[in-house]
Amino acid sequence: MKILQFPLTGITFAFIFGIIVYQNYHPESIFVFGSILIGLVFMLALHFGCKRKPICKSFFGILTLGISFFIGLATSIFHNESLRQNHYLNQLAEETSHQITLQVNEKLKSSAKNSRYVANIQNVDHHKSFGKVILNIRQYNKIQDLPIGSQVNLFGTIYKNKNPFNPNQFDYGRYLENQQIYGQIYTDEKQMVIGKTESTLWSRFSNFRTEIIRNLSLSQFKKEELNIMIALLLGQQQDISPDVLRDYQLAGAVHILSVSGLHVGFILLFVTFLLKPLANTKKNTLIKLIIILLSLWSYGILAGLAPSVVRSVTMFSFVAVGNHLRRTVNVFHTLLVSMLLILLWKPSFLFDVGFQLSYLALFFILWLQPLLAEIWQPKYKVTQYIWDILTVSFAAQIGTLPLSIYYFHQFPGLFFVTNVIVLPLLGIIMIVGVIAIVVACFGKVPSVVTKPLEFLIELQNNMIQWIASYEDFVFRNISFTSAMLWISYFVIIAIIIWFKKPNFKRLVIALLSIITLQSLYISTKLETHNTEEFIVFNARKSSIITQRKNKSVTVYSNDSILASLENNTTIQAYLVGNFCQAKEKKRLQNLYYFNNKKILLIDSLAIYSPKIKPNILIITNSPKLNMERLLEVYKPQQVIADASNFKSYVRLWEVTCNKEKIPFHYTNEKGFYKI
């Protein structure tokens, strides 16, 4: 691979490794910056002392990689806002109410009960502070969206991010922390005072985007088609209905709803086409470059600067600069430089799923697609066009397949059909859509533009819905570990290298990689199947208990949960994460036996026999109990209260248990309980 011969490759990967190490270990700042300083001193000594000797060149290269690694650590430290003294995390001793002033920075997808925003803290109890939080505003009535840049004063509590409350659950708290968001505020529209709207570059673009959307909505667009168009061209997916989004996911077309290289590349071509009449003088080419760069980055900001948008805009900016300098742009070098610059600016992007998928897809398109294209050379333009779409789609899917399965545990089998049908139509939608966006910048869009665009998007939605209806071709609930993820990429790369230039040595490496993956899969299944455990889950306003023996799981719950178990994300995440299956579904019972332990469950009826002497006591559905008498009769080793109980009851039970020195576990605060 020629890309490995590029010096920046090693530097970039060492830098990325530094970011990953910091994410997991958080070394001290003094150690990191001291190591960089020592490394630079040694590097200068080698450069001026013995730079002509081969051994010195080797040491110089190793030092360069080492310094790059520590710069990755240093960059993560520099961007870790929670380390600064005036960050709100360092000003709040506990989760109590405070007088808070904040500024709205970004609109998020609303939940069933709350309008949600990303906001920047400005003051806490009249002391200057900073940091990002999620602002949740309860929706008693449909309130108007807050303008970006609005200042909000409220009296409330900042709730810090918490670990997952159930096994194998998505760690939303860590996801937020990767974006430097460490807490959430829940408030009411009546409890806050909206102040002035501060005008910044970000707020101007955001409110300008809102104005464009408002003008489009006034143009007699159908609601669903308008939401799809806003996602396609402006990167705002908040208002797409769950059913439509699900269809795009099942059809393998959800990527077109995120602004990425396809969309940014089209903007580059469109702006270049508009600038064609300008003569190619030295002055005019510079003007063209400035206009192209301003257009790309303005569009990027307008689309919300998501990781995939930043990656695409940065890459195409390098392409534009390369064309201006009349140089042949090496796409692999551009890919590496753009990645390094983006991570220097925001290292947390490395842990964003969209960032990872977009770079992997682009890398495999650039590397694998030319090899696939050589397999067959069609004679006709139409077949050549379809073949190109297929090879590009296949290359991108191969590159992102392990990562997609790891994160989403499913794979759309009809992605080939989707891309052949949707991509040509998407090109036409982009052309008409850009015209509609440009017109919407100045006012209402005429029906001569909106009606064809509405028809095209409706046609696309119908095609996607038709493909998504074949759910048998969607492979769901695929168990996949992080170790299997890394080995899978080793397998893919080994096979491609052998395919590119077949020989015996490469074939052996490819076969050994496949055997390694198979061995890992078998050993993982054996390890997970030799397990017995009893779990009380944290399920809001309900009770879920599982008893597992090897790969067979018995689920105990109420009828409504058992009837929709296949759609219960809590249970499905547990089953997929542990390579097991729900063999039995039973209603909750009052007595369980597990590993020589007697477990008694007391529900809302509060019926129990004094003759039973349980080791563990589970309380559900807020029974009216005399806890002191109950503990005196049973003397359990552990008391567990799940999230179906009233909080006021739980507080009284906890006080009583602490008084009797009996361990008390409340799942709504400490998460699931496992035996």
Side-chain angles (χ1 to χ4, degrees), residues 329-474:
V329 180
N330 186 307
V331 286
F332 288 111
H333 297 178
T334 306
L335 197 69
L336 282 171
V337 172
S338 67
M339 183 190 292
L340 186 59
L341 289 177
I342 290 168
L343 293 178
L344 278 166
W345 172 59
K346 197 166 185 179
S348 60
F349 270 1
L350 180 64
F351 306 101
D352 187 276
V353 180
F355 181 85
Q356 295 170 9
L357 289 173
S358 62
Y359 265 103
L360 279 169
L362 188 55
F363 171 75
F364 276 90
I365 288 171
L366 296 173
W367 185 41
L368 180 58
Q369 193 273 337
L371 299 177
L372 298 174
E374 292 176 0
I375 295 173
W376 180 46
Q377 300 293 332
K379 294 180 181 179
Y380 304 103
K381 287 186 177 180
V382 175
T383 51
Q384 179 66 55
Y385 179 71
I386 295 172
W387 178 241
D388 286 342
I389 291 176
L390 288 173
T391 53
V392 168
S393 301
F394 187 75
Q397 286 290 346
I398 287 294
T400 57
L401 178 61
L403 199 65
S404 298
I405 294 174
Y406 176 71
Y407 282 122
F408 309 117
H409 301 287
Q410 69 176 31
F411 174 69
L414 293 176
F415 70 90
F416 273 130
V417 179
T418 303
N419 285 305
V420 169
I421 293 175
V422 170
L423 288 182
L425 187 60
L426 182 63
I428 304 170
I429 291 173
M430 288 289 294
I431 293 170
V432 184
V434 167
I435 295 170
I437 293 291
V438 172
V439 176
C441 292
F442 304 99
K444 187 178 175 181
V445 184
S447 58
V448 70
V449 178
T450 59
K451 289 304 175 185
L453 185 57
E454 187 181 278
F455 169 76
L456 290 168
I457 294 174
E458 188 174 5
L459 178 62
Q460 176 179 280
N461 286 349
N462 290 335
M463 290 178 174
I464 292 292
Q465 188 178 22
W466 171 68
I467 296 169
S469 65
Y470 294 93
E471 294 193 26
D472 291 340
F473 290 93
V474 180

Side-chain angles (χ1 to χ4, degrees), residues 541-553:
K541 295 184 179 180
S542 59
S543 300
I544 302 175
I545 294 172
T546 61
Q547 188 169 346
R548 175 183 166 198
K549 186 174 182 180
N550 301 330
K551 66 176 182 178
S552 299
V553 175

Side-chain angles (χ1 to χ4, degrees), residues 104 137 144 146-147 150-153 189 192-197:
V104 175
I137 305 173
Q144 188 175 1
L146 295 176
S150 299
Q151 192 178 75
V152 177
N153 293 287
E189 54 183 326
M192 61 184 193
V193 178
I194 301 172
K196 62 180 181 178
T197 301

Side-chain angles (χ1 to χ4, degrees), residues 602-607 620-624:
I602 300 178
D603 56 20
S604 58
L605 299 175
I607 299 174
T620 68
N621 295 306
S622 308
K624 293 181 179 179

Side-chain angles (χ1 to χ4, degrees), residues 376-627:
W376 180 46
Q377 300 293 332
K379 294 180 181 179
Y380 304 103
K381 287 186 177 180
V382 175
T383 51
Q384 179 66 55
Y385 179 71
I386 295 172
W387 178 241
D388 286 342
I389 291 176
L390 288 173
T391 53
V392 168
S393 301
F394 187 75
Q397 286 290 346
I398 287 294
T400 57
L401 178 61
L403 199 65
S404 298
I405 294 174
Y406 176 71
Y407 282 122
F408 309 117
H409 301 287
Q410 69 176 31
F411 174 69
L414 293 176
F415 70 90
F416 273 130
V417 179
T418 303
N419 285 305
V420 169
I421 293 175
V422 170
L423 288 182
L425 187 60
L426 182 63
I428 304 170
I429 291 173
M430 288 289 294
I431 293 170
V432 184
V434 167
I435 295 170
I437 293 291
V438 172
V439 176
C441 292
F442 304 99
K444 187 178 175 181
V445 184
S447 58
V448 70
V449 178
T450 59
K451 289 304 175 185
L453 185 57
E454 187 181 278
F455 169 76
L456 290 168
I457 294 174
E458 188 174 5
L459 178 62
Q460 176 179 280
N461 286 349
N462 290 335
M463 290 178 174
I464 292 292
Q465 188 178 22
W466 171 68
I467 296 169
S469 65
Y470 294 93
E471 294 193 26
D472 291 340
F473 290 93
V474 180
F475 305 98
R476 292 187 178 91
N477 298 330
I478 305 171
S479 299
F480 210 67
T481 65
S482 56
M484 292 165 67
L485 170 70
W486 289 106
I487 298 298
S488 295
Y489 275 111
F490 179 61
V491 170
I492 291 170
I493 291 169
I495 291 173
I496 293 173
I497 291 173
W498 169 78
F499 178 73
K500 191 173 183 180
K501 192 176 180 182
N503 60 42
F504 181 74
K505 183 180 177 181
R506 293 183 177 186
L507 177 62
V508 169
I509 293 172
L511 292 174
L512 285 174
S513 67
I514 294 171
I515 293 169
T516 304
L517 180 60
Q518 291 174 328
S519 303
L520 178 64
Y521 179 76
I522 293 168
S523 64
T524 304
K525 287 198 74 173
L526 288 173
E527 182 182 346
T528 54
H529 288 178
N530 291 327
T531 303
E532 293 186 18
E533 57 189 16
F534 184 96
I535 297 178
V536 180
F537 285 78
N538 181 70
R540 190 170 177 269
K541 295 184 179 180
S542 59
S543 300
I544 302 175
I545 294 172
T546 61
Q547 188 169 346
R548 175 183 166 198
K549 186 174 182 180
N550 301 330
K551 66 176 182 178
S552 299
V553 175
T554 302
V555 181
Y556 300 92
S557 190
N558 55 47
D559 291 336
S560 60
I561 289 178
L562 294 177
S564 58
L565 199 62
E566 291 74 16
N567 299 319
N568 188 295
T569 55
T570 300
I571 293 297
Q572 291 304 320
Y574 171 70
L575 297 176
V576 171
N578 292 281
F579 294 79
C580 50
Q581 296 176 334
K583 292 292 184 182
E584 290 186 272
K585 296 185 285 187
K586 295 182 179 180
R587 296 187 68 182
L588 290 164
Q589 56 194 48
N590 293 107
L591 193 61
Y592 303 88
Y593 292 94
F594 182 78
N595 283 358
N596 299 320
K597 290 185 178 181
K598 193 183 295 182
I599 304 167
L600 177 67
L601 184 143
I602 300 178
D603 56 20
S604 58
L605 299 175
I607 299 174
Y608 55 91
S609 171
K611 295 179 181 180
I612 301 171
K613 298 297 181 183
N615 303 100
I616 297 172
L617 184 64
I618 302 174
I619 306 174
T620 68
N621 295 306
S622 308
K624 293 181 179 179
L625 299 170
N626 185 325
M627 183 58 77

